[in-house]
Amino acid sequence: MVQFRTRNGLAALIGTVAVLGAAGTALAEDRDPAYAAARAAGQVGEQRDGYLGVVSGAPATVSAMVKDLNNRRRAIYTEKAAGKSTIEEYAFTTACRLILQTAPGEKYQGLDGSWKTRGAGAPERDPKCP
């Protein structure tokens, strides 16, 4: 569950969404063939906190790749959130967008924390998502 530290968390969240919409988040994994293969194989998925998660049964190489990519994501979130919101708020709003952008067959973290496979319809998203 995301807890906002600002007095007006909703305003910060909306502001962060505006920043995301305007600038986007250039995530390094978008260009990584190993990441694309792991995603297509259902070995990794988008978590509700803005970071990648390893689906059970994935090899150690996938875990190492996810750790590296999450470190890169955190660096991006830290840079983009500076002076606008907390890192956690920025990561959360990015998670909302990334889960929405999953393709059918890809994994994402559902509201109960379990791994879901995206179907033809919209994925489950946190009710706090903008």
Side-chain angles (χ1 to χ4, degrees):
M1 175 88 33
V2 173
Q3 294 180 359
F4 296 106
R5 290 185 213 157
T6 62
R7 173 171 265 191
N8 191 347
L10 184 57
L13 182 63
I14 291 169
T16 302
V17 170
V19 170
L20 281 174
T25 302
L27 299 173
E29 62 262 23
D30 292 339
R31 297 178 295 274
D32 186 338
Y35 166 73
R39 186 171 172 148
Q43 297 173 328
V44 300
E46 293 295 340
Q47 296 181 147
R48 293 175 42 219
D49 63 0
Y51 296 93
L52 290 171
V54 177
V55 178
S56 62
T61 54
V62 170
S63 295
M65 175 187 61
V66 166
K67 183 178 179 181
D68 179 58
L69 291 173
N70 281 338
N71 287 337
R72 293 180 193 188
R73 280 190 180 190
R74 180 142 180 104
I76 291 169
Y77 298 160
T78 300
E79 177 185 335
K80 299 287 187 179
K84 299 176 191 100
S85 66
T86 67
I87 296 165
E88 292 79 14
E89 289 168 343
Y90 193 90
F92 175 78
T93 56
T94 301
C96 291
R97 181 178 55 82
L98 292 173
I99 288 172
L100 188 60
Q101 291 176 347
T102 56
E106 292 180 342
K107 300 284 187 186
Y108 69 95
Q109 190 178 39
L111 294 175
D112 63 1
S114 68
W115 288 111
K116 308 282 184 182
T117 302
R118 170 87 187 257
E124 276 183 20
R125 293 192 319 146
D126 193 300
K128 294 182 186 113
C129 285

